[in-house]
Amino acid sequence: MAIQRMSRRRLFGLSGLSLLGTSMSGWLPQLAAQVLQSGQSPPRSCILLWMSGGPSQMETFDPHQGHENGGPTKAIETSVPGIRIAEHLPKLAGQMQDLAVIRSMTTKEGDHTRATYYLRTGYLPQGPLLYPAMGSVLGKSLQREASDLPACISINPFRSLSPAAFTSGFLGPAWSPLVVASETGAENDVSFRVRNLKPADRLSGQQVDERLRLLGVLEQSFLAERPDVPVRSHLQSYERAVRMMKSSSVEAFQLEQEDEALREAYGRNPFGQGCLLARRLVERGVPFVEVSLNSLTDDVGPGWDTHVDNFKAVADLCGVLDPAWTTLLTDLRQRGLLQNTLVIWMGEFGRTPKINPSGGRDHWPGSWSAVLGGGGIRGGQVWGSVSDDGLEIRENPVRVPDLMATICRGLGLDPAMTNLSNIGRPIPLADHGATAIEQLLV
């Protein structure tokens, strides 16, 4: 079909629509369906479960029961014989056939700011380059023309530790994540609302359309005189905002449409309901969604930064993580979405194998765990291992660029594919020298 090769600009031209005019949401989903029926590969999506503060590998996916460094945490069997994980994740243990655990992640970055930036962008901070977050890069690479929603949506991010790690960097504002925060109402009901989607009540639909057309004329005139990247990005941002405002796809944020039993299974908390929202967004064509699990208290913070009372803190966090992640995988599978949705679980580093005097674990970038599952990943396996005391990697160390390359390959992307930076350098999706872990890929 020739229509598959059309750019968004060309589609606007053929439809006779102004940049900020009538919504195309009525026929764009139909176009998407036609593309899929034409024999193209199904679109792929990615969900990142981000654990702010750095989760302990010892109390999650690499327990060391019987060693003094393992503390009181017990290991339990999973659905895959021979693979054991921490007792705090009993529901997830039944999903191991779809998960690949990496137990040999390693970096030199033990500072929250630098480590968060490194894991979320795939690059160390350096010089004049502001690297885009993974969500912006992958969202841009996976974006479908038919989608009325942004390419990257970030749910409840905790950005204070490393603000630059949550931006679109040199890709510009057109690829900035849409940040969505949860609101807890009566009876602890969690909801999500995108601000400024509805026009003022005093304006009629005709008035709104006329103002948008005027804005479109002014924007196009400004662009004609200043055809620069920032101006074009600004224009694209408005275009996407208006398409979203006029689209029925925003119903994705109305969780009350879901069955109450399913909402309970995810967990009536910001992270659980955020995972449900992630499924609804992926279902509507959003290529990248991230959900952050931060502090469980009213003081939002990096809850996984367990310098004190690590064992209770991790157990409580896993009490929220376990049902939400498990239900997400089950929900995606039952809807036929899991085979094309890559789910990532990670934080910026792990925790010290040795327990400190406060019963906590400190920052540890030397040997820690991350998990991949779903689309493009061969589940039911563990990659890499550490010594009995957890202090050293015994086999198959995994660098951040290698993890990024593996994620790209799992999503059907070439890790060597580049984006042009603000200083004119082509920047690959995964840093130079990255090697994907072939054994983890389908």
Side-chain angles (χ1 to χ4, degrees):
M1 293 175 61
I3 192 73
Q4 295 173 30
R5 297 188 296 273
M6 291 185 183
S7 66
R8 180 176 299 146
R9 181 180 299 279
R10 178 62 173 154
L11 286 172
F12 271 112
L14 290 178
S15 64
L17 300 177
S18 67
L19 175 70
L20 300 172
T22 307
S23 169
M24 297 190 294
S25 60
W27 60 271
L28 275 173
Q30 298 175 19
L31 176 60
Q34 292 172 8
V35 170
L36 291 181
Q37 292 170 6
S38 70
Q40 277 192 325
S41 299
R44 300 199 180 190
S45 299
C46 183
I47 297 175
L48 169 62
L49 305 180
W50 179 255
M51 307 293 107
S52 301
S56 169
Q57 67 279 10
M58 297 288 211
E59 278 67 57
T60 53
F61 291 96
D62 195 7
H64 285 241
Q65 181 178 343
H67 193 283
E68 62 176 344
N69 287 355
T73 304
K74 295 181 175 59
I76 59 173
E77 299 294 335
T78 69
S79 59
V80 178
I83 298 180
R84 306 177 82 200
I85 62 175
E87 61 182 324
H88 306 309
L89 300 169
K91 295 180 184 294
L92 197 65
Q95 306 285 327
M96 191 53 60
Q97 71 279 359
D98 289 319
L99 301 175
V101 178
I102 301 173
R103 288 179 172 165
S104 52
M105 288 296 305
T106 183
T107 77
K108 296 180 180 179
E109 305 302 326
D111 169 73
H112 283 297
T113 300
R114 286 178 61 86
T116 299
Y117 189 94
Y118 194 19
L119 266 295
R120 292 182 55 85
T121 68
Y123 286 86
L124 287 168
Q126 55 179 291
L129 274 177
L130 180 58
Y131 292 100
M134 178 193 306
S136 295
V137 171
L138 297 181
K140 177 178 182 292
S141 302
L142 297 169
Q143 175 76 316
R144 283 80 104 178
E145 290 282 0
S147 178
D148 290 337
L149 294 171
C152 174
I153 296 180
S154 179
I155 301 171
N156 284 335
F158 177 72
R159 295 172 285 184
S160 298
L161 290 177
S162 186
F166 292 81
T167 73
S168 56
F170 62 70
L171 291 181
W175 300 104
S176 294
L178 172 67
V179 175
V180 180
S182 61
E183 299 178 353
T184 303
E187 299 181 358
N188 292 321
D189 184 49
V190 178
S191 61
F192 297 90
R193 181 168 62 90
V194 181
R195 299 183 182 277
N196 303 319
L197 268 186
K198 294 182 179 180
D201 293 336
R202 68 179 184 275
L203 298 177
S204 68
Q206 181 179 355
Q207 288 175 310
V208 172
D209 288 342
E210 288 174 352
R211 292 186 180 194
L212 290 175
R213 289 192 189 97
L214 176 59
L215 177 61
V217 170
L218 295 175
E219 292 277 5
Q220 290 284 13
S221 175
F222 192 83
L223 176 63
E225 296 179 2
R226 302 168 181 82
D228 301 320
V229 172
V231 178
R232 193 175 301 279
S233 294
H234 183 266
L235 200 61
Q236 291 173 337
S237 298
Y238 268 111
E239 171 192 313
R240 289 175 178 163
V242 173
R243 283 179 61 180
M244 182 176 174
M245 183 178 72
K246 290 176 172 285
S247 171
S248 61
S249 296
V250 295
E251 291 183 0
F253 297 95
Q254 299 174 10
L255 300 186
E256 64 272 14
Q257 295 179 350
E258 293 288 340
D259 182 81
E260 286 298 310
L262 182 62
R263 294 193 69 181
E264 291 290 340
Y266 271 98
R268 291 283 191 168
N269 53 71
F271 181 75
Q273 299 302 290
C275 287
L276 173 56
L277 176 57
R279 188 271 289 166
R280 289 173 62 84
L281 291 169
V282 164
E283 200 171 30
R284 287 163 174 80
V286 177
F288 191 98
V289 185
E290 67 174 354
V291 190
S292 294
L293 178 51
N294 309 308
S295 173
L296 300 182
T297 67
D298 292 334
D299 298 326
V300 177
W304 295 93
D305 195 25
T306 52
H307 293 280
V308 178
D309 201 10
N310 168 80
F311 303 102
K312 182 182 184 306
V314 174
D316 290 345
L317 285 162
C318 285
V320 171
L321 173 67
D322 190 39
W325 189 358
T326 301
T327 305
L328 174 63
L329 293 173
T330 302
D331 203 4
L332 289 170
R333 187 186 304 109
Q334 291 177 346
R335 294 169 185 270
L337 297 170
L338 186 58
Q339 61 185 348
N340 295 307
T341 303
L342 172 58
V343 181
I344 307 166
W345 178 89
M346 66 178 182
E348 61 266 40
F349 42 54
R351 314 303 299 183
T352 51
K354 291 186 177 180
I355 304 165
N356 68 29
S358 299
R361 297 188 189 274
D362 302 318
H363 301 181
W364 183 254
S367 52
W368 48 284
S369 300
V371 181
L372 304 178
I377 298 299
R378 193 183 304 278
Q381 60 177 318
V382 170
W383 182 255
S385 65
V386 300
S387 56
D388 292 341
D389 59 10
L391 291 169
E392 297 179 357
I393 292 178
R394 189 160 51 194
E395 58 181 2
N396 298 324
V398 176
R399 305 174 305 129
V400 171
D402 301 333
L403 176 65
M404 286 293 295
T406 305
I407 290 169
C408 289
R409 288 279 305 280
L411 292 168
L413 300 173
D414 181 359
M417 186 169 66
T418 63
N419 289 294
L420 195 63
S421 73
N422 56 304
I423 59 173
R425 281 175 49 193
I427 306 297
L429 302 187
D431 203 355
H432 299 284
T435 302
I437 308 171
E438 297 293 339
Q439 291 86 341
L440 301 186
L441 298 168
V442 174

